[in-house]
Amino acid sequence: MNKAMEELVYGSRIITYSKEFRDRKSIGIKVNPTGSVEVKVPVGISEEKVQRELLKKASWIVKQQEHFFNFNPIQLAVKLKSGFSIYYLGRQYRIRFSQSDKKDVTYKDNQFYVLARTKTEGERLIDNWLRERAKLKITELAKPIIEKFQSEFKKPKYIYFQDMDKRWGSCTSNDKLIFNPKLIHVPKRCIEYVIYHELCHLVHKHHNKSFFDLLTYVCPDWEERKRKLDQFV
């Protein structure tokens, strides 16, 4: 059966949903990982009744949509112990620690080499190194994307980096983009997806149909990139 697109006003949000009539007894509501909302409706039910049912579930729908754009906490802390490895820009590296009065972090082939007086010092050293690399790499990837985006839409006021337990990125109400330094662990294409995602929030603050239409316009393969990103959580 054909699906019809409808909208529900919920506070400052507009929840866009697809409505499909089915041979069933009750209204079914589903929120997909993309944030889209599907409503299965018994034949003969009025739109007024559908909207009443959606209003009852609106808070849950919004929470589900936000949930899909968060990530679960994962162990990305560096531990200098036998066999330990980390991901750097999506590639896995073994860590080799050597006790030394010199402090240094280098990487070659598939290994990181850490020089420090103690393992605790080495862990802090490589953690700080990764944070600084995150700022440099994310800024480098964001620059051409922002330049292209602002030519048609808006420009962020500035970019900021902040540890977040359950989010890869964020866009504030005053158009500041915030990125999680842990993004340094995932592939470049995934970092670019997060950049596109947060830029689209400059135009559309919520995960509604207009937001996804814009995201698809500026990053047509965003769903594939997001699936890859989700592998790291």
Side-chain angles (χ1 to χ4, degrees), residues 11-142:
S12 62
R13 290 177 178 264
I14 296 178
I15 298 174
T16 303
Y17 60 94
S18 64
K19 182 177 69 176
E20 183 177 357
F21 288 100
R22 291 284 189 88
D23 184 13
R24 54 184 296 147
K25 295 182 179 180
S26 60
I27 295 173
I29 302 170
K30 177 183 178 182
V31 182
N32 296 311
T34 60
S36 63
V37 181
E38 296 180 2
V39 182
K40 303 294 191 298
V41 182
V43 176
I45 294 293
S46 68
E47 177 61 19
E48 182 181 1
K49 186 170 183 179
V50 173
Q51 295 250 328
R52 284 202 304 268
E53 188 66 24
L54 280 167
L55 277 174
K56 293 178 186 177
K57 298 280 189 178
S59 176
W60 173 81
I61 291 171
V62 169
K63 286 179 181 178
Q64 286 296 105
Q65 288 178 324
E66 296 298 335
H67 167 74
F68 285 127
F69 291 92
N70 295 344
F71 71 90
N72 295 322
I74 54 178
Q75 181 55 261
L76 291 176
V78 175
K79 299 294 181 183
L80 296 183
K81 59 184 180 180
S82 178
F84 189 84
S85 63
I86 61 170
Y87 281 92
Y88 175 66
L89 295 177
R91 182 178 173 185
Q92 193 171 20
Y93 291 81
R94 290 266 186 181
I95 297 182
R96 302 296 183 187
F97 169 74
S98 296
Q99 193 172 24
S100 172
D101 289 334
K102 181 181 179 182
K103 298 179 183 179
D104 192 30
V105 176
T106 57
Y107 66 97
K108 183 180 180 181
D109 298 327
N110 64 338
Q111 298 189 83
F112 267 95
Y113 298 90
V114 181
L115 300 178
R117 286 173 295 183
T118 66
K119 287 188 176 181
T120 300
E121 185 179 72
E123 289 170 356
R124 289 198 300 267
L125 187 66
I126 192 169
D127 184 63
N128 289 335
W129 186 92
L130 288 167
R131 287 171 181 274
E132 290 306 310
R133 290 295 297 177
K135 294 176 183 178
L136 289 171
K137 185 56 65 175
I138 294 169
T139 301
E140 175 187 305
L141 293 172

Side-chain angles (χ1 to χ4, degrees), residues 156-192:
K157 289 188 176 177
Y158 54 97
I159 294 176
Y160 184 70
F161 297 90
Q162 177 181 312
D163 285 326
M164 293 177 278
D165 289 337
K166 297 184 179 183
R167 296 187 71 86
W168 291 118
S170 180
C171 176
T172 68
S173 59
N174 63 346
D175 294 342
K176 176 176 72 174
L177 299 189
I178 304 174
F179 295 110
N180 193 329
K182 290 184 175 67
L183 279 168
I184 196 62
H185 295 283
V186 308
K188 292 180 183 179
R189 285 170 52 78
C190 298
I191 298 175
E192 290 170 343

